Amino acid sequence: MRISVKNTYNLGQEFFRWEIATAVAGAIIGINAFNQPDVEASKIETRKLTSEYESTGKLPPESPFFEAEGFKFYADPKNVAALSGAATLRDLMKLHLDRINAGDYLACSPTSQ
């Protein structure tokens, strides 16, 4: 999809259009899109990271929980536990996608050309 605007003043219209679209989509799938789930938890984790960086000059090291075929996967402990047992990339993706239930949301982005 490509949306063209005549000038920068029309950007406000686009913001409004997509706010309405977000509200409608949220209502259709039964969520309050403006409830900001996990925002406070995200702020707490971000403060931890910025404090670490400010005191040490670097971020804490991270290690992938799974590596295969040139891919590295990182996740929180809850998701690592849910995905443990995968021996191959295919196994990992199957475990992950099998967790999708009716009414859940999955988004995929197209590969760049």
Side-chain angles (χ1 to χ4, degrees), residues 28-76:
I28 290 169
I29 63 175
I31 63 166
N32 177 352
F34 301 100
N35 189 22
Q36 300 183 1
D38 297 326
V39 169
E40 190 57 35
S42 177
K43 287 179 182 179
I44 291 168
E45 292 304 314
T46 300
R47 282 188 206 108
K48 287 180 190 175
L49 289 173
T50 54
S51 293
E52 169 99 14
Y53 185 80
E54 288 172 353
S55 65
T56 67
K58 57 186 174 183
L59 293 172
E62 285 189 299
S63 300
F65 75 91
F66 186 87
E67 292 184 61
E69 301 177 39
F71 292 95
K72 295 180 181 182
F73 293 85
Y74 301 82
D76 63 351

Side-chain angles (χ1 to χ4, degrees), residues 98-111:
D98 282 349
R99 298 187 305 159
I100 299 172
N101 297 307
D104 286 350
Y105 176 76
L106 171 70
C108 299
S109 63
T111 59

